[in-house]
Amino acid sequence: MGISKRNIPVLLLIALVVIVQLITAGTDTSFYLTQLTMTAYYSLVIIGLCLLMGYAGQLSLGHAGFFAIGGYVSAALTTHNLIGLRHNQLIELLNKTGLLSMGQDIYGEKILTVIPWAACLAAILVTIIIAFAIGKPVLKLKGHYLAMATLGFGIIIFRFAMATEYFGEADGISGVPPFHLLPGLTVSGDFGARISNYYIAWGLVLLGMILSLNLVNSRVGRALRAIHGSEEAAAAMGINASRFKLYTFVISAVFAALAGVMLTHYNGGIGPSEASVMKSVRYVAIIAIGGMSSLWGALCMGVILNFMSLRGMFGSYDGAVFGAILVAMMLFAPDGILRLPLLKKLWRKNGPARN
Amino acid sequence: MALLEIKNLSRSFGGLQAVSDISFSLVEGMIKAVIGPNGAGKTTLFNLICGNIPLSAGTIRFQGQHIERLKSHQIAALGMSRTFQNIKIFPGMTALENVMVGCHTRSRAGFIAAMLRLPQTFREEREIRRRSLELLELVEIPQTADCEAASLSFGQQRAVELARALAAGPSLLLLDEPAAGLNIYETAELARLITKIKELGVTILLVEHDMSLVMDISDEIVVLDFGRKLAEDIPARIQQNRAVIQVYLGDDEDA
């Protein structure tokens, strides 16, 4: 492989991530890193959704639901005190295998909770199961019908989070403990860990980006684009369209859930707004403005818009801005901003044309 | 043994008998054409063979194996490729990438292997690329490899579709009106190309309206009318067949 043309954007991204951190350190503006870290996790959702929407051509208006499933499962497992169930055989077994940890809450009471690593894996597992169960029937639908079905799924998750006591109802879950990834690397909102968390988040984005770029430039990626073009023709090439769509759906759900887990541990909590339909619409709008089948376009737009939104630049009109973006994109630039005639020329000449 | 054996094949849509009790077989290495006036059931027959629509009655055997219950992607994986009447090129992909999609059944990389870009995936990818370039050369449009397939001329798109269908290394190639929309020069080119493909050992079944093309390249012809088989013979005798002339050649020469 070497340093092929394809690796240049990845190297540029690494450089940019480092440069931005150095600038904030040099100008004493490292408070920006908090929003940049959160932006990175939202970008992870967008990368996964871009595989599904942009490449496989399957719309999902329920991806905030998967983000929330990841976040909520991890939050619930790491905060709910199991001390009362200590003598339950299953809990005892889990405790012996080291999947639980004993700690103290702020009042000095003993609490027994699932360790974040185990909670994270459980969250991903639950997501995979739900994504398979939802994706299998729903992906038989096309166009508007698929959009409506995934929208329905998103609403169910949102209302479920709002209504379930275990998930904190409208308050959500707070007091989620830090996630010790590796010795010396902890996902938490602690001020001292701001820089390392910025790099953890962007490291994950980079990893997600590399895996996704590999995927779209492979046999599988071609199969997905073929399905997008014509399912009938794809089937005539021997492509099992329903399987490829389902797997892509599950992978994109896992991206979203992982982002949910990480951001929840970073923020120390999660609330039902993360599951709201407005969040799903935002993800879709960002992918549309990024050019649908462009991972780099989606990432760029995701970073810019999420950062502006998190800095409060859209004020109380935050949701309206993303709605307006979606309308404007569909009307004026259905192929994304980067494919507008003027920019397209530049893009063609200088950039990677199709990944 | 026949490569493709169709027995008593029927398909009705509601009350309409689109294909009714059709039987014929294809010997390896031949070019067989299916002709008939509009609405004779040619396209339905094609879709039945490919597994695009389920049949009402009858059997289809491909390489000795029953395929009437298989899905179209499973049938394709057995070595049956096809092209489409109204070209179904994959838009947003280059001509080369289109042909590379055709290599799907000859390669294995799954999601995990592709994401991690494992060494064998890398090698496989190189092999797919090499093979696809060769096929573009075979259909005589190597210069279009990096062009967006949707931007190519109609004739070139047909050639891309042919190369894509051949990429799987099929033993049977189904061509659905390959000359539709082509001018006489392009049609002549196509005839030469189809003959060339036959010489590679690929058996071909085609549905076609262009009589000169059919008479030129086919070894045998099946004539359909109102969903039934009217005749099956070599081209020279089909041209003499009174019933065929009456329903088809006589009134509707250039349909």
PDB file of all heavy atoms in Angstrom, chain B residues 19 48 113 124 159 235 243:
ATOM      1  N   VAL B  19     -46.923 -17.067 -19.819  1.00  0.00           N
ATOM      2  CA  VAL B  19     -46.098 -18.138 -20.367  1.00  0.00           C
ATOM      3  C   VAL B  19     -46.864 -19.422 -20.119  1.00  0.00           C
ATOM      4  O   VAL B  19     -47.321 -19.673 -19.014  1.00  0.00           O
ATOM      5  CB  VAL B  19     -44.714 -18.192 -19.680  1.00  0.00           C
ATOM      6  CG1 VAL B  19     -44.021 -19.497 -19.979  1.00  0.00           C
ATOM      7  CG2 VAL B  19     -43.862 -17.017 -20.127  1.00  0.00           C
ATOM      8  N   LEU B  48     -38.448 -15.629 -15.434  1.00  0.00           N
ATOM      9  CA  LEU B  48     -38.670 -16.922 -14.774  1.00  0.00           C
ATOM     10  C   LEU B  48     -37.360 -17.690 -14.651  1.00  0.00           C
ATOM     11  O   LEU B  48     -37.044 -18.248 -13.601  1.00  0.00           O
ATOM     12  CB  LEU B  48     -39.691 -17.749 -15.558  1.00  0.00           C
ATOM     13  CG  LEU B  48     -41.149 -17.295 -15.492  1.00  0.00           C
ATOM     14  CD1 LEU B  48     -41.994 -18.062 -16.499  1.00  0.00           C
ATOM     15  CD2 LEU B  48     -41.701 -17.472 -14.086  1.00  0.00           C
ATOM     16  N   ALA B 113     -13.290  -8.763   6.779  1.00  0.00           N
ATOM     17  CA  ALA B 113     -12.058  -8.811   5.996  1.00  0.00           C
ATOM     18  C   ALA B 113     -11.860  -7.519   5.212  1.00  0.00           C
ATOM     19  O   ALA B 113     -10.758  -6.988   5.120  1.00  0.00           O
ATOM     20  CB  ALA B 113     -12.080 -10.009   5.056  1.00  0.00           C
ATOM     21  N   GLU B 124      -6.846 -10.415  -3.419  1.00  0.00           N
ATOM     22  CA  GLU B 124      -8.076 -10.699  -4.165  1.00  0.00           C
ATOM     23  C   GLU B 124      -8.506  -9.472  -4.973  1.00  0.00           C
ATOM     24  O   GLU B 124      -8.879  -9.573  -6.132  1.00  0.00           O
ATOM     25  CB  GLU B 124      -9.174 -11.080  -3.158  1.00  0.00           C
ATOM     26  CG  GLU B 124     -10.459 -11.535  -3.765  1.00  0.00           C
ATOM     27  CD  GLU B 124     -11.476 -11.892  -2.671  1.00  0.00           C
ATOM     28  OE1 GLU B 124     -11.499 -13.038  -2.238  1.00  0.00           O
ATOM     29  OE2 GLU B 124     -12.229 -10.986  -2.257  1.00  0.00           O
ATOM     30  N   ALA B 159     -21.627  -2.648 -23.814  1.00  0.00           N
ATOM     31  CA  ALA B 159     -20.379  -3.416 -23.736  1.00  0.00           C
ATOM     32  C   ALA B 159     -19.952  -3.583 -22.277  1.00  0.00           C
ATOM     33  O   ALA B 159     -19.518  -4.668 -21.878  1.00  0.00           O
ATOM     34  CB  ALA B 159     -19.287  -2.710 -24.543  1.00  0.00           C
ATOM     35  N   PRO B 235     -32.278 -21.358 -37.829  1.00  0.00           N
ATOM     36  CA  PRO B 235     -32.754 -20.110 -38.451  1.00  0.00           C
ATOM     37  C   PRO B 235     -33.300 -20.305 -39.860  1.00  0.00           C
ATOM     38  O   PRO B 235     -34.369 -19.779 -40.189  1.00  0.00           O
ATOM     39  CB  PRO B 235     -31.510 -19.223 -38.458  1.00  0.00           C
ATOM     40  CG  PRO B 235     -30.687 -19.709 -37.320  1.00  0.00           C
ATOM     41  CD  PRO B 235     -30.944 -21.179 -37.218  1.00  0.00           C
ATOM     42  N   ALA B 243     -46.254 -20.863 -40.240  1.00  0.00           N
ATOM     43  CA  ALA B 243     -46.927 -20.331 -39.050  1.00  0.00           C
ATOM     44  C   ALA B 243     -46.178 -19.127 -38.494  1.00  0.00           C
ATOM     45  O   ALA B 243     -46.772 -18.128 -38.101  1.00  0.00           O
ATOM     46  CB  ALA B 243     -47.040 -21.414 -37.992  1.00  0.00           C
TER      47      ALA B 243
END
